[in-house]
Amino acid sequence: MFRPRIPTMPTPTGIVTPLAHPTPLVEHQPAAACACQHTAPAPAAAPTVVPAPAAPAASAVRLTPTGLLAVVGGGAAVVLIVGAVLVSLLLAVAITAASVAVCAVVLRSMLNGQRHR
């Protein structure tokens, strides 16, 4: 009833040869001697070779002047947004470093002031 499907390995040319499954032979009485409504089994078809699909033709991208302006404007917007994010991150790191440096100077002066007393 159920037959397992075994994957086939494609050849280097891309042609896949299907795996042939043997069909069991069932002997059947001629139609005159049998009252049932069986039909004769169809002969097994020979495996066909499927040609490899042709490579799609490369299509050129054509832009109208309006489309070109939209692409350039979009690219400029992306560059400006990414630049603003990177500059803000750099500014945050610089402010953090400056505040840590100020804290270090204050702590150093407090510790030096306690030693002289």
Side-chain angles (χ1 to χ4, degrees):
M1 183 172 167
F2 295 109
R3 291 186 183 170
R5 296 182 186 225
I6 302 171
T8 58
M9 191 66 134
T11 59
T13 58
I15 299 172
V16 177
T17 56
L19 188 64
H21 293 286
T23 57
L25 294 176
V26 177
E27 298 216 12
H28 192 268
Q29 299 296 330
C34 182
C36 60
Q37 297 177 358
H38 291 279
T39 57
T48 58
V49 176
V50 179
S59 61
V61 176
R62 296 183 185 186
L63 290 176
T64 61
T66 307
L68 185 62
L69 282 175
V71 169
V72 170
V78 168
V79 167
L80 289 175
I81 291 171
V82 170
V85 168
L86 291 177
V87 166
S88 64
L89 287 174
L90 181 63
L91 185 61
V93 169
I95 290 172
T96 304
S99 64
V100 168
V102 168
C103 289
V105 169
V106 169
L107 284 174
R108 183 176 172 190
S109 65
M110 286 173 61
L111 291 175
N112 284 337
Q114 286 181 356
R115 287 186 191 165
H116 292 294
R117 287 187 181 176

